[in-house]
Amino acid sequence: MATTKAASNKGLNELFHDTLKDIYFAEKKILTTLPKMAKAAHDDALKMAFEKHRDQTEEHVARLEEVFEVIDKKPAGKTCAAIIGITEEGAEIMDEYKGSPSLDAGLLAAAQAVEHYEISRYGTLRTWAQELGLTEAVTLLDKTLNEEKETDAALTQLAESAVNVAAEAA
């Protein structure tokens, strides 16, 4: 694959900024998706988990805006095909399993796919921020990364203790 001169001059700063725009877009997309998932869920604990994560996601967007400020860039999103695909899969589950006892298990699995994507992005961004000497960004990204991991663990607990069991029993 041939590289262009412009592409070959791009460094970690540009990659960090591009990836930051990617996760910013993703978080904004997640903000619009979580209320739909909460509305579709039958299990009260799952509804509450989606609502709690929506509140956290608002904080994540605000932290990302602080990271943009740290690098002296305007907050902006860049279309993220991965999150579009993951959220479209979630929408398919809502359509195909509406009224089914398996709906909540499918919603939970879709939510965990989102969490795993976020964990990957935030872990990468935190590492790059560290490499670039962006101490304040490291702190902000690390806080969000830890919250994403906690949400993933809570969703796993909910799946194993209630949602998957209910889907299987039906």
Side-chain angles (χ1 to χ4, degrees):
M1 179 170 100
T3 58
T4 64
K5 185 169 176 71
S8 65
N9 290 334
K10 287 189 174 189
L12 190 57
N13 281 317
E14 290 83 7
L15 186 57
F16 179 84
H17 185 223
D18 278 349
T19 306
L20 189 63
K21 291 190 293 188
D22 177 271
I23 194 65
Y24 188 71
F25 176 94
E27 291 286 25
K28 294 279 205 164
K29 178 75 173 160
I30 292 162
L31 275 175
T32 65
T33 303
L34 282 167
K36 296 171 191 168
M37 293 175 76
K39 186 177 178 184
H42 295 282
D43 184 273
D44 288 338
L46 183 58
K47 280 183 188 288
M48 287 180 9
F50 289 151
E51 289 165 3
K52 177 183 177 186
H53 195 58
R54 187 191 185 288
D55 293 343
Q56 276 188 327
T57 301
E58 287 178 343
E59 292 175 29
H60 299 168
V61 168
R63 276 192 214 121
L64 287 171
E65 289 169 352
E66 288 182 58
V67 175
F68 277 107
E69 199 173 297
V70 167
I71 62 170
D72 201 28
K73 301 283 185 186
K74 182 182 175 206
K78 172 182 163 185
T79 302
C80 172
I83 207 67
I84 289 171
I86 292 169
T87 57
E88 283 177 358
E89 283 182 9
E92 284 176 22
I93 289 167
M94 284 189 273
D95 286 343
E96 292 177 23
Y97 290 86
K98 186 176 185 174
S100 163
S102 297
L103 175 63
D104 284 352
L107 288 172
L108 210 149
Q112 285 197 284
V114 168
E115 290 309 306
H116 295 171
Y117 178 78
E118 290 176 304
I119 289 166
S120 169
R121 282 293 185 227
Y122 281 111
T124 296
L125 283 166
R126 182 202 56 203
T127 299
W128 289 345
Q130 204 163 9
E131 191 68 31
L132 293 167
L134 303 170
T135 309
E136 188 179 350
V138 170
T139 302
L140 292 164
L141 295 164
D142 198 46
K143 183 170 177 135
T144 300
L145 176 60
N146 287 331
E147 288 174 359
E148 298 293 6
K149 288 178 179 179
E150 288 168 9
T151 298
D152 183 51
L155 290 173
T156 297
Q157 175 63 31
L158 186 56
E160 292 174 349
S161 67
V163 173
N164 290 349
V165 175
E168 185 180 10

